[in-house]
Structure formats: structure tokens, C-alpha cells
Amino acid sequence: MATAENQARVACPDCGLVQRLPVVRRRHIAECRRCARLLAGPATGRVDAPLALALAALLLLIPATVAPLLSVASHGAARICWLSTGIAGLWREGFAPLAVIVGAFCLAFPYLYLAALIAVLAALRLGARAYLGTAFRWIMRLRPWMMLEIFLVGCFVAYSRLRLVVGVHVLAGGWSLMGATGALLLALTQLDERTIWEALPLRGAAPLRRTKWLARRQATWDVSRGAGGDGSLGRAIACTTCELLVNDACPGAPCPRCAAVLHHRKPYAFTVTAALVAAGFMLYVPANALPVLTLVSFGNEQSNTIITGVLELIHNRLWPLALIVFLASIVVPLLKLCGLTWMLLATLQRSRRMLVARTRFFRLIDTVGSWSNIDVFVASVLVGLLQFGAIAQARAGGGLVAFAAVVILTMIATRTFDTRLMWDAPKGE
Ligand SMILES: [Zn+2]
Ligand SMILES: [Zn+2]
């Protein structure tokens, strides 16, 4: 049995420091004492609130999918757009990879994420525990790729650009999409991952009793006795998914709680991240040089690159949207590529400088990284809606494929990089 002292010991996922986690009270948070990573959030202990909100989000997502989002009218012709219209438009124009990306990020993954989250939270409420660890691991992995809120902002940008040239109205599906996104974001603020993990039994351990599962912390498994008293892991391995400290585990063995493969550090983290960043830099040039969207108005074709798209928003005095698109499409991808290069070089040089700042910066680029997809979503909505032949038409451009590739490569790079390598390196000096 784990002792009370062992129960609260955790290894920070960002810097690897083993420390004792205090019992976090309502509205309090606990941060890593070395890198300030949030270890326990203000939503600790909640299950009913995220369950109810996720259910509301799923129920609102159904009308958002089946009802039309927007309608446009131009010179007597009208057109309505569903969530799937843009995806079909991209596919029709020969941009199958983009259609798959938009379909997965904005349609398939939100449904999958919400349905799986509701199933796991409901199963916890009902006392079932089998396979929940594996299911919740996949839910956490899916989160960065589920981009309903980013698609909604993309719809706002597309709506604002369309209003300049045609009459456009928000329909029932559009309002439902706003409701679904709001409920989803609220559900995420109420979801505390550690609460869920600590309610799950370890493989071979007896399941927790239903009535007490919220009050109890870690159950029956000798998980952290192997951790060194100096804040190092000692003989233990920290699971990077559920943050469990597993004593005397062999690298390559499955985590007893979430079944993720245990490693002291992510395998090949440095090499794979370096390769992804190099590929990202190479694609960044065509992503910005080639047109991402071509707009036809009364026979006149106007090809927009990412930067000219921003300039057009500024020209039309849509300052807040111009700022959002500029930050998301130009600043964030560059920050991610340069930031990861800085972190890789500093790791290579075993640098001690600015370790906390580097780790904080990594968390920032990891959090904001998926917002770069806004331009892809704006293009999908415009391509779906603006199809009035020679009067007004929108076509996707080759730059959009390169741009989407940059965003996805950098998102994978932040997943493959292991920030603990930065903290390990100076120790070898
Ligand atoms: Zn830390
Ligand atoms: Zn685990």
C-alpha cells in the first residue's frame, strides 16, 4: 500500500522535479516549485460540472452540423453553407488533404472528443472503471487536434470579409455552433485531468468504492517509493500522460494506470523534433510566398497570400480581426519554429541560462499553436460560400497546403519534444 507521504508525490511533466503535492482546496492551485507548471488547478475534484457541460456541447453540436450556418446573397442569387460545405468545396477543388484536415479538426474530432469524454465521466459517476485509463489517455491526446473554437473564430473572420462584398446572415446552425463552442470551453475549464486520473484504479488494484472516489486520492499501488529524496526520479519512471510515478518500471513497459508506454524521456525526442522543425522552416517559405486564397469579383482575380489577407483586413478597418489573423498566421508559426530551434540548440549546448523562461515559452507556444489554423478554416468557409461564378468566387491556393503543413508539423514537434531534456542537460556538466 502507498503511504500517505507517497500519495502526494508527483514528478513535474515539464522539468521532471519530484515534489510533494499539497491537498489542493477549492479555488486554489498548485504549481511546480521549479518551473511554475500548473500541477493542480482550481477545478480539482469536479466531475458533474464538466459532464453536464460536455453533454450540452454535444447536444448543441448536432444542430450546428445539420442546420445551415450562414447564408449569402449576391445580385439575386443566394447560397447557404453548412459545416460540411467548405470541406466539400476544398475536396471538389482538388485540395483533398485540406478537406480531410478541416473535416477531422472541426467535425470528426469534436464529436469523438465530446462523446468519449462524456462516456468516461459518466462511467466514473456510475462506478465503472474498466479501460477508462486508456480511453482518457486518448481523450487527452485528441484535445489539441479538436479545434471547434478556432473554427468559430475562422467563421467570424470569413463573415466579416463576406459582409464587405455580399449580404450575409447567421442562421440557426451558426447560433448552435456558438452555443456548442461556449459549452465546450466551459467544460474544459471545469475539467481537471488529475482528478480523473486519481479516481482511476491501477491495473491489478481493487476499484475504488463509488461513494468515496472523489474524496480519496491515490489508491493501492506502490508508485513512488523509488523516487529520490533530492527531487530526482531515482529508480522510478514518471508517466508523461497521467503523471503517475511508477517504481522499478522497465522502460517500454505499459503504465499501470493509462497503459501509455513508459520511458525515462520521450524516445528520439531531440532528433524527431529537429527534423520536424527543419521541415517546418522549409515549408514556411512557400506558405507565405504562394497565394492561399484567390477571390474573383466581376471577372477580376485577386490572389491573396497570408500577409496580403491581413493587409486587406486592415484596409477595410477590421483591426481586431487583422490583429488576430496576423498573430495566429504569421507570428505564432514563426515563434514556434524559432522557439523550438532555440530550445534544441540550448539543449545541445547544455545551457543553464533561462531554463524557467524557456519552459514557460514552450508552454505558451504549445497552447497557442493550433490557433494558426484560422486561415485554413477561413478559406474553407469562403470556398464553400462564395460560389457565384464570375460575379464572386473564392478558390483555395497552393500556399494553403504548405501553410497547413507548417502548422501541423510544428504542432507535432511540440508533442515530440521533451522539455525535461533542457533540465537534464546542465546536470552532465
Ligand atoms: Zn516543473
Ligand atoms: Zn500513465
Side-chain angles (χ1 to χ4, degrees):
M1 293 283 285
T3 63
E5 182 186 304
N6 280 335
Q7 286 172 12
R9 294 193 82 183
V10 293
C12 171
D14 284 358
C15 73
L17 183 76
V18 177
Q19 55 210 291
R20 196 161 295 151
L21 185 70
V23 175
V24 181
R25 303 193 192 288
R26 201 174 153 80
R27 296 180 197 281
H28 284 63
I29 59 166
E31 289 182 341
C32 168
R33 62 186 157 93
R34 189 159 71 172
C35 74
R37 150 91 184 212
L38 187 72
L39 294 175
T44 297
R46 290 178 200 167
V47 168
D48 291 347
L51 175 60
L53 287 162
L55 206 56
L58 185 65
L59 290 176
L60 283 164
L61 192 57
I62 296 168
T65 316
V66 297
L69 299 180
L70 296 167
S71 74
V72 291
S74 176
H75 298 86
R79 213 178 139 78
I80 51 176
C81 150
W82 283 263
L83 219 157
S84 56
T85 310
I87 301 165
L90 287 171
W91 188 279
R92 208 174 38 243
E93 288 193 10
F95 292 95
L98 289 178
V100 171
I101 287 170
V102 178
F105 293 173
C106 307
L107 199 59
F109 290 171
Y111 270 107
L112 204 60
Y113 178 88
L114 283 169
L117 183 64
I118 289 165
V120 166
L121 294 175
L124 275 178
R125 255 351 244 124
L126 298 170
R129 297 289 185 271
Y131 303 109
L132 289 195
T134 308
F136 196 58
R137 173 162 61 91
W138 282 105
I139 290 172
M140 282 179 65
R141 286 198 179 167
L142 199 56
R143 169 65 192 110
W145 305 99
M146 185 228 9
M147 305 184 189
L148 205 59
E149 72 277 30
I150 304 168
F151 180 73
L152 183 67
V153 177
C155 285
F156 275 127
V157 176
Y159 170 85
S160 307
R161 285 177 75 163
L162 282 169
R163 264 181 42 166
L164 301 169
V165 284
V166 289
V168 51
H169 298 284
V170 181
L171 301 178
W175 298 112
S176 303
L177 183 68
M178 286 183 224
T181 309
L184 172 71
L185 293 178
L186 274 176
L188 291 172
T189 62
Q190 295 301 307
L191 181 69
D192 181 65
E193 286 156 9
R194 188 177 294 279
T195 299
I196 309 300
W197 286 126
E198 291 186 351
L200 296 178
L202 307 169
R203 211 171 42 174
L208 300 178
R209 265 185 291 159
R210 182 180 159 187
T211 47
K212 290 190 175 175
W213 76 269
L214 263 182
R216 290 177 61 172
R217 306 288 289 181
Q218 197 64 47
T220 50
W221 197 274
D222 182 10
V223 289
S224 60
R225 204 174 293 158
D230 57 348
S232 69
L233 275 169
R235 289 173 292 131
I237 297 183
C239 173
T240 45
T241 307
C242 72
E243 299 174 21
L244 183 74
L245 276 179
V246 187
N247 186 29
D248 285 337
C250 294
C255 168
R257 186 158 63 184
C258 72
V261 180
L262 293 170
H263 290 287
H264 286 289
R265 295 293 177 260
K266 292 180 189 173
Y268 309 110
F270 188 93
T271 323
V272 175
T273 311
L276 290 166
V277 169
F281 268 119
M282 279 185 243
L283 286 165
Y284 190 76
V285 180
N288 283 281
L290 295 176
V292 290
L293 192 71
T294 300
L295 294 170
V296 181
S297 181
F298 294 103
N300 293 326
E301 283 199 12
Q302 186 199 349
S303 289
N304 277 324
T305 60
I306 288 171
I307 190 73
T308 56
V310 175
L311 292 175
E312 191 199 312
L313 288 173
I314 294 173
H315 178 73
N316 290 307
R317 297 177 186 278
L318 298 168
W319 294 99
L321 293 180
L323 186 67
I324 290 173
V325 176
F326 176 71
L327 287 175
S329 304
I330 294 168
V331 176
V332 170
L334 205 56
L335 267 186
K336 284 178 86 172
L337 289 170
C338 295
L340 284 168
T341 307
W342 174 38
M343 287 166 210
L344 288 167
L345 288 175
T347 307
L348 204 61
Q349 292 170 343
R350 295 174 171 273
S351 168
R352 288 171 193 273
R353 293 181 62 201
M354 302 173 79
L355 267 171
V356 176
R358 259 187 272 153
T359 312
R360 281 177 185 266
F361 187 54
F362 178 85
R363 287 198 286 266
L364 175 76
I365 58 176
D366 187 32
T367 309
V368 300
S370 51
W371 280 90
S372 303
N373 280 300
I374 281 187
D375 253 342
V376 179
F377 299 155
V378 171
S380 85
V381 175
L382 290 178
V383 166
L385 264 176
L386 220 50
Q387 294 296 339
F388 296 101
I391 300 171
Q393 196 182 15
R395 288 200 303 266
L400 202 60
V401 181
F403 180 75
V406 172
V407 178
I408 289 171
L409 286 177
T410 51
M411 282 184 71
I412 298 172
T414 53
R415 311 252 98 67
T416 57
F417 187 61
D418 195 333
T419 43
R420 293 171 301 178
L421 291 176
M422 298 194 292
W423 291 87
D424 292 341
K427 288 177 196 164
E429 286 180 347

